[in-house]
Amino acid sequence: MQILDVGQAVIHNQLTLGIVVASDNETATALAMKEILILAHDIGLTVRFKPITGAEYDQWVSEGGRTRYIVTALAPELTAAHLQAVTKIVSSQGFNIETVTRLSGRVDFERDNKFPRRACVQFGLSSGPTLDAQAMRAACLLLSSELNIDVAVQEDNAYRRNRRLVCFDMDSTLIEQEVIDELAIEAGVGAQVAEITERAMQGELDFQQSFRARVALLKGLDAAVLPKIAERLTITEGAERLISTLKALGYKTAILSGGFQYFAEYLQGKLGIDEVHANILDVQDGFVTGEVKGAIVDGARKAELLRELANKMGISLEQAMAVGDGANDLPMLAIAGLGVAYRAKPLVRQNANQAISSVGLDGVLYLLGMHDKDLNRA
């Protein structure tokens, strides 16, 4: 007999083994089935046989070439209602669920966990030639907002399993604050700058114009406040675990920020980021001049920097990942193989391929297909 396929799964200490075989000798096949049944009875196993026609086998082989997708459901806690809603969308779009894998660790109810609680289940899907993955993404995004659950849809290809570079926005992504707002508070113009910042992040204002207007309001600020502001910055939940895990696994990391180089370098030292690119705040005689040096790092520049980093590493953009929250992050999210809007503004969530809002930044690791048991070893 020729073995054509074999697979095994163990779920809650119950083993399931499936084997597809081919045989031209009916007598030998019948004798083998008899021997298997006797053996199974002796050791307490249940065996089922199913004949497969040539046409059924040919169809199964042809389906192996279809595009496959991964749907990742992520939330602090996943309920039956969450999984029902996700599988309903998958089914309504005509996709077949082939595998279901829990990526999050087992919940220990007897003691407090080291990290905030989260649950993640990954569905492996197969598709037909006419199915619309974009429609499924749109439906999953709507579900995310309705049920406080993150649902990501990715094509399951070699690039998904071989990311090499992860680029982050800084303000409201790696840190909880918008640094320019913190500077404005020190300069006594907090309300004016905060209003412009919010409109810019919502995509209502051109980033370069709004940025220059905000920086101009900082003129005369004593540069001695910069280290004080840096020290009070709050690292986003999960960011330290995410960066340390990526570094341990050999990923390269970068900050591509519309904020300021001084604070990006501070985070670089604190988190161990490989490379940073941000705006250089002009300081003369110990005071902020209200201007920046060089070209402004806006959305277009972030995308350009991402391309440059990928080229320098000799990798495809498909192997790059970008994470951000604002409208000026959309260009880099669009060209990266995996672009993730993190706790983002509505405009950004609607235009990004993936979004995470229900858990910390380290939830990104699940979108890379990582399992908690693997992360604990990293």
Side-chain angles (χ1 to χ4, degrees):
M1 290 186 182
Q2 178 185 2
I3 295 178
L4 303 177
D5 191 33
V6 61
Q8 176 178 301
V10 178
I11 303 175
H12 298 295
N13 295 324
Q14 179 170 306
L15 181 146
T16 301
L17 172 66
I19 303 177
V20 180
V21 299
S23 174
D24 295 327
N25 189 321
E26 293 185 5
T27 300
T29 301
L31 290 173
M33 292 169 64
K34 177 183 176 181
E35 291 296 324
I36 292 172
L37 284 169
I38 293 172
L39 176 61
H41 179 270
D42 291 342
I43 62 178
L45 298 181
T46 300
V47 178
R48 295 185 179 91
F49 297 98
K50 178 184 177 182
I52 300 174
T53 66
E56 289 174 322
Y57 179 75
D58 289 342
Q59 180 180 355
W60 177 73
V61 171
S62 67
E63 289 175 352
R66 291 181 179 177
T67 302
R68 297 180 183 274
Y69 292 88
I70 292 293
V71 171
T72 308
L74 175 62
E77 294 182 353
L78 285 175
T79 67
H82 289 148
L83 298 185
Q84 179 189 37
V86 173
T87 55
K88 183 178 180 181
I89 288 175
V90 170
S91 176
S92 67
Q93 296 296 329
F95 288 80
N96 296 318
I97 297 176
E98 294 191 344
T99 61
V100 180
T101 307
R102 174 178 50 82
L103 298 183
S104 52
R106 295 172 179 172
V107 177
D108 186 345
F109 292 106
E110 300 301 321
R111 61 182 176 84
D112 292 336
N113 291 320
K114 181 179 179 181
F115 301 107
R117 180 174 295 183
R118 74 282 307 278
C120 182
V121 173
Q122 177 179 280
F123 300 88
L125 313 181
S126 62
S127 69
T130 61
L131 301 182
D132 188 350
Q134 285 300 118
M136 185 165 64
R137 282 194 180 96
C140 287
L141 180 62
L142 180 61
L143 177 65
S144 297
S145 60
E146 292 175 349
L147 296 182
N148 189 33
I149 175 178
D150 298 316
V151 186
V153 181
Q154 302 178 66
E155 185 176 332
D156 187 18
N157 54 31
Y159 295 118
R160 190 188 77 85
R161 298 182 292 275
N162 290 281
R163 310 288 184 202
R164 298 276 306 283
L165 169 68
V166 186
C167 296
F168 297 93
D169 173 48
M170 179 173 67
D171 298 42
S172 296
T173 300
L174 283 177
I175 57 174
E176 294 184 1
Q177 297 92 339
E178 291 286 333
V179 170
I180 196 166
D181 291 346
E182 299 298 312
L183 290 167
I185 292 172
E186 296 290 342
V189 291
Q192 301 98 300
V193 169
E195 180 183 359
I196 299 174
T197 299
E198 181 61 23
R199 292 182 65 191
M201 298 307 290
Q202 294 286 357
E204 298 175 9
L205 298 175
D206 172 79
F207 180 83
Q208 287 221 15
Q209 291 178 335
S210 67
F211 184 73
R212 291 189 185 279
R214 286 175 287 171
V215 173
L217 290 171
L218 302 178
K219 184 177 181 179
L221 176 66
D222 190 338
V225 304
L226 299 186
K228 298 178 183 178
I229 293 174
E231 290 173 2
R232 70 175 187 240
L233 295 177
T234 305
I235 305 295
T236 300
E237 175 194 345
E240 291 175 291
R241 184 189 187 213
L242 171 59
I243 300 299
S244 64
T245 301
L246 292 174
K247 285 175 62 64
L249 295 174
Y251 287 75
K252 293 297 183 182
T253 57
I255 292 175
L256 308 182
S257 173
F260 299 106
Q261 186 77 9
Y262 178 89
F263 301 97
E265 290 178 354
Y266 173 82
L267 279 179
Q268 181 180 27
K270 192 175 184 66
L271 296 176
I273 302 289
D274 292 304
E275 197 161 335
V276 297
H277 297 272
N279 297 298
I280 300 175
L281 189 63
D282 187 41
V283 176
Q284 294 184 16
D285 299 324
F287 294 92
V288 174
T289 67
E291 298 180 356
V292 292
K293 296 180 180 179
I296 290 177
V297 179
D298 58 5
R301 179 58 180 156
K302 287 187 179 187
E304 182 181 349
L305 286 166
L306 176 56
R307 291 183 187 277
E308 291 176 2
L309 289 173
N311 287 336
K312 185 167 69 172
M313 291 179 61
I315 64 172
S316 163
L317 284 173
E318 285 286 346
Q319 293 176 274
M321 178 177 178
V323 185
D325 75 296
N328 65 322
D329 295 313
L330 283 172
M332 74 171 180
L333 297 185
I335 66 170
L338 177 58
V340 181
Y342 177 71
R343 295 184 180 175
K345 314 304 184 283
L347 173 69
V348 183
R349 284 179 56 84
Q350 292 167 10
N351 287 277
N353 283 333
Q354 318 299 345
I356 289 181
S357 298
S358 68
V359 298
L361 195 60
D362 53 344
V364 165
L365 295 168
Y366 295 127
L367 300 191
L368 295 171
M370 298 184 191
H371 195 294
D372 274 354
K373 65 182 180 182
D374 299 321
L375 300 181
N376 293 335
R377 301 190 189 106

